[in-house]
Amino acid sequence: MSINADKKIKVGIIGATGYAGQEVARLIYSHPEAEVIWYGSRNYVDQPYSAVYGNMKDLADEACKDDDLSALAEQADVIFTATPQGYLAGVLTEEILSKAKVIDLSADYRLKDVSVYEKWYKIEHKSPNFLPEAVYGLCEVNREDVKKARLVANPGCFTTCSIESLYPLVKEHAIDVSTIIVDAKSGTSGAGRGAKVQNLFCEVNESIKAYGVASHRHTPEIEEQLGYAYYAGDAEALSRPGGTPILINFTPHLVPMNRGILATCYATLADGVDAAKIAEIYKTYYEREPFIRLLGEGGTPETRWVEGSNFLDIGFVVDPRTNRVIVMGALDNMVKGAAGQAVQNMNLMFGLEETTGLLFPPVFP
């Protein structure tokens, strides 16, 4: 049940007019146990929300409000912050957290090592005191911790797809983690709604390009979480400066589609591991997960079959010639890779059935 049986969870969204914030608003609109009471937007204060997003006409005509987190905490049960890196870390206080739960869609609390965050994001972290309690909101991995959390760091889209595709194999030491390569493709919505020349139609259409090569900010997030899996129980390894000692090659690409992530992950198999063992491991970890769909050996996920949904499809192929496994994962970067996962976290935090408001089929065509 929700926090009070006779009322809905009151939701505030800061950054409601960005792509991820709008997706949170869209999902909450149909959520049977929650309602949006605050559409926060620094650029559209006093304008009707439906004037910014026409898909919400006659559904969400309330005026946008500012980004006053303290005022919002007085009214909301949970606050989603779909904001640029550095925003939440600069304004979050103990008083706010004592009044409302917070689910942050930025990277401010995803990385436990402040120096790693500041190196990759090139900004100072203003509230590292909250890092120890922040729960990394990968529901299938940290479900029990999320249930008890008041601050959740919602994972990124590339990271969710990459980590969950590889997590069971890393946890079971079925692959040589020093050989991991992740080649990922993303639709243009992953870059946000801001006007950028490189994201204009003529710049993106009929093309594909790599970006952030050997420097993408999601790299340490993937490494840290896979490190927790691989070195689970090894307190010495987990406490080393700089985090867990796993390094990967991660290369993202931009493709001319609105939504979707496809991550193709390569790794050398550990001794004695074959396709049957790989299939068994995935079944053990994910068979009962409502939002992970296993395609099995030879299955090749496609972004079109997850679009608009909270599903993550995973398939794999073992290449005996090179003794490597190729794992493929596909998700919608705006739903399971952002807003859908955030709502999934909210459900857990408030004691709801995890699938509430999220168990709908992908959109096709």
Side-chain angles (χ1 to χ4, degrees), residues 26 90 145 147 161-162 211 220 284 297 301:
R26 185 180 73 88
D145 289 334
K147 290 178 180 179
C161 199
S162 303
Y211 67 99
T284 298
E297 183 184 9

Side-chain angles (χ1 to χ4, degrees), residues 266-278:
Y266 306 84
T268 298
L269 291 168
D271 290 343
V273 176
D274 57 14
K277 180 63 174 177
I278 296 291

Side-chain angles (χ1 to χ4, degrees), residues 16-17 43 77 122 124 127 141 143 156 172 182 191 214 247 255 263 279 296 303-304 322-323 325 348 359:
T17 53
N43 296 323
D77 299 311
K122 303 188 186 312
E124 179 187 357
S127 55
V141 175
R143 179 174 286 115
E172 294 298 320
V182 178
L247 299 176
V255 296
T303 57
R304 62 175 174 158
T322 60
N323 192 40
V325 62
L348 289 170
L359 202 56

Side-chain angles (χ1 to χ4, degrees), residues 89 109 114 125-132:
Y109 299 99
V114 176
H125 199 296
K126 297 295 182 62
S127 55
N129 52 302
F130 291 120
L131 286 173

